Amino acid sequence: MEDTVSSTIQLTHVSVVWPDGTVALDDVSGTFGPGTTGLVGRNGTGKSTLLRLVAGDLDPTSGTVTASASAVTLPQSLPSHPGSVADALGIASIRAAIAAIEGGDVDPARFDAVADRWGVDAEALAALQTAGVAGDASLLDRPMRSLSGGEAIRVGLAAIRLSGAPIALLDEPSNNLDADARADLVAAIRGWPGTLVVASHDRALLEHVDRIAEIHGHELRTFDGPWSVYEEAVAIEQAAARRHLQDADQQHRRERADRIVAAERRQQAEAAGRRRQAAGGIPKIVANGLAGRSEQTSAASRRLHRGREATAMAAIATAEEAVRDDRSIRIAMPETRVPNGTTVVELAAPGGPIVVRGPERIALAGRNGSGKTTLLRAIAEWPARPSRAAVATVSHRIAEVGMLAQRTEVDESATLVEVLRAANPQASPHAARAMLARFLFRGDDGARTAAGLSGGERLRLALARLLLADPAPRLLLLDEPTNDLDVDAIGSLVEALAGYEGALVVISHDERFLADVGVTRRWTVEGGAVRDEPVR
């Protein structure tokens, strides 16, 4: 096995440009060292590309990537792996060769396949035990699809240990995992030997890493400590950057004011000289000499003030580069308001009726596959399709409802204005652009097509289409809205929901997000029933 202590990854002026000219990484340099590193950055900054470079699956367009040891990536598709646990561990062929030899096959190829790994079953079970999945030899034959999401992730981590690779790479490992599976993942990576890099937007997971590495522009910067330390450091840095920008802007205003005052004084002096000459008080030859010197002085003054103003403008540009885009969504939506006491939804459940009144905010929780999405769809489709969900029956619901599913479908060829007007036909193109601006699509953005949007931009467009529809929804249903979103996009979602005044039911395993949107009740789907309780 390779050295698991000194494994490092070095990136030197790395750029990746796709064949269509899109820049994925631009002159990035940095280092990953031993321990657990959380890799963060906005969607589109190149986190997944960087992991592919380290794994050796991609070559940089320019620059170098040097890893002191081999690296293995945890596949995102493990919970849906079509094979057995042994297949996922990469030992199925060795086990098959051993079984064939034990059955009398003396083909040398069989012995070559086994090499010195005659105890592979015990080796695999020990790795699984270390990763938190206990069992006997029959566990190796279990289908991966029979495991929970957390167990599947643990099997993947055991496979990395079996591979002997000292560098492990995880790309958004907590996506689509329920709360128990996320806890399993956190437990499995805590104290990981060797070098582990986790690209993630899961703030709860990032609280358990040794350091945060952030891709921002050309830099790969490292912050010692978990997410909360990184978040505080960036907040302090940005507060200072905004002060510098304010100072630079004030200096520019002063330089511009000085230039204007100086110009006005020159004009007044020149006008006074012309009046004296017109009155005959100055001989022509003297006046011409004075005019020449005045023009030279004026030109020098203009150059001085323009230079100072240009310097001040350059200082503003430098200060602006240090300030991150902190645009925020601030929307009041009184048309979505639900008065207190208004019955929004009523469910007939085995444990008794469950009623939502007024603008309540409810988290719909439970393991993956427990029936959460089925219940949410039953609420959305009632009364047009009064189907019974596995855990409850919808007996009443207000008319104005909107649902944001896990996958939002839009016409890829439609412009943003067209997408919004499809939901609100009464809005003129000008009004649609104004509405889009409230969701940070400004200027020429309305003419963009949906095909070119990032994940965070798609979410904002989906929210705009949903919340600005006519009629506006007074009950909003959200199914895992934070999946595949970066931290900034999640922040935009929280901001948009802050202005929503209706009732909300949301499926999410992101406890930080649920706290941020202010849920006050929790429906937990478990054992074929739904339990209703307040959030403590």
Side-chain angles (χ1 to χ4, degrees), residues 432-462:
R433 287 179 182 274
M435 291 176 177
L436 286 167
R438 298 164 69 186
F439 283 82
L440 309 183
F441 294 111
R442 294 168 181 155
D444 296 331
D445 285 345
R448 294 172 62 189
T449 60
L453 299 180
S454 67
E457 288 173 329
R458 282 179 176 272
L459 172 81
R460 280 192 275 124
L461 179 62

Side-chain angles (χ1 to χ4, degrees), residues 16-367:
V16 174
V17 182
W18 303 127
D20 65 357
T22 302
V23 178
L25 288 172
D26 184 11
D27 194 32
V28 171
S29 297
T31 302
F32 295 106
T36 306
T37 301
L39 179 60
V40 303
R42 291 184 176 183
N43 284 341
T45 54
K47 298 185 299 299
S48 295
T49 301
L50 190 152
L51 293 186
R52 290 179 61 195
L53 289 168
V54 175
D57 298 332
L58 179 69
D59 293 324
T61 305
S62 62
T64 58
V65 179
T66 305
S68 63
S70 59
V72 176
T73 303
L74 181 75
Q76 289 187 329
S77 58
L78 273 175
S80 59
H81 192 290
S84 66
V85 170
D87 289 317
L89 291 173
I91 61 170
S93 60
I94 300 174
R95 298 182 78 231
I98 291 174
I101 292 170
E102 290 175 344
D105 191 336
V106 294
D107 185 344
R110 300 292 191 187
F111 290 87
D112 290 341
V114 177
D116 61 350
R117 301 187 68 182
W118 293 96
V120 69
D121 278 17
E123 184 184 349
L125 291 173
L128 288 168
Q129 176 75 40
T130 300
V133 184
D136 55 24
S138 64
L139 170 62
L140 301 176
D141 295 313
R142 280 185 62 184
M144 283 293 291
R145 288 175 175 168
S146 70
L147 304 181
S148 69
E151 289 172 329
I153 293 296
R154 286 178 177 268
V155 168
L157 295 174
I160 292 176
R161 290 177 184 270
L162 279 175
S163 74
I167 299 175
L169 309 173
L170 280 60
D171 191 1
E172 297 292 353
S174 62
N175 274 5
N176 302 309
L177 295 185
D178 58 28
D180 290 340
R182 287 184 182 215
D184 286 345
L185 175 62
V186 167
I189 70 170
R190 190 181 289 126
W192 181 270
T195 299
L196 176 68
V197 182
V198 186
S200 181
H201 301 303
D202 186 336
R203 293 168 291 184
L205 175 63
L206 293 171
E207 277 300 315
H208 297 277
V209 299
D210 298 321
R211 68 191 66 85
I212 297 292
E214 179 204 45
I215 300 180
H216 183 71
H218 300 309
E219 295 183 291
L220 179 64
R221 297 196 301 163
T222 301
F223 300 78
D224 288 332
W227 171 264
S228 55
V229 172
Y230 157 78
E231 193 173 35
E232 182 179 1
V234 171
I236 293 171
E237 177 186 86
Q238 286 301 292
R242 284 189 289 271
R243 286 195 300 271
H244 291 155
L245 177 58
Q246 185 177 27
D247 291 344
D249 184 63
Q250 290 175 347
Q251 181 62 29
H252 173 250
R253 291 173 184 271
R254 285 193 293 269
E255 296 294 353
R256 184 174 58 185
D258 288 347
R259 175 177 58 79
I260 293 171
V261 168
E264 290 175 346
R265 287 175 177 171
R266 286 196 305 273
Q267 291 171 357
Q268 291 170 357
E270 289 168 0
R274 288 193 296 270
R275 287 196 297 271
R276 288 196 298 273
Q277 183 181 3
I282 303 176
K284 185 173 183 180
I285 188 171
V286 175
N288 289 340
L290 291 174
R293 285 194 295 273
S294 175
E295 179 57 35
Q296 291 175 355
T297 302
S298 296
S301 177
R302 285 193 294 270
R303 287 194 299 270
L304 174 64
H305 286 288
R306 285 173 179 168
R308 288 176 175 173
E309 193 170 354
T311 300
M313 284 293 292
I316 288 177
T318 300
E320 282 179 337
E321 288 179 359
V323 177
R324 305 189 181 192
D325 185 0
D326 61 352
R327 300 181 305 166
S328 58
I329 298 175
R330 293 285 185 263
I331 310 170
M333 288 176 281
E335 63 277 10
T336 64
R337 183 174 299 144
V338 177
N340 292 327
T342 299
T343 300
V344 177
V345 172
E346 187 167 349
L347 305 178
I354 298 174
V355 182
V356 178
R357 291 192 175 92
E360 295 190 82
R361 298 196 165 200
I362 299 161
L364 180 51
R367 289 178 174 270

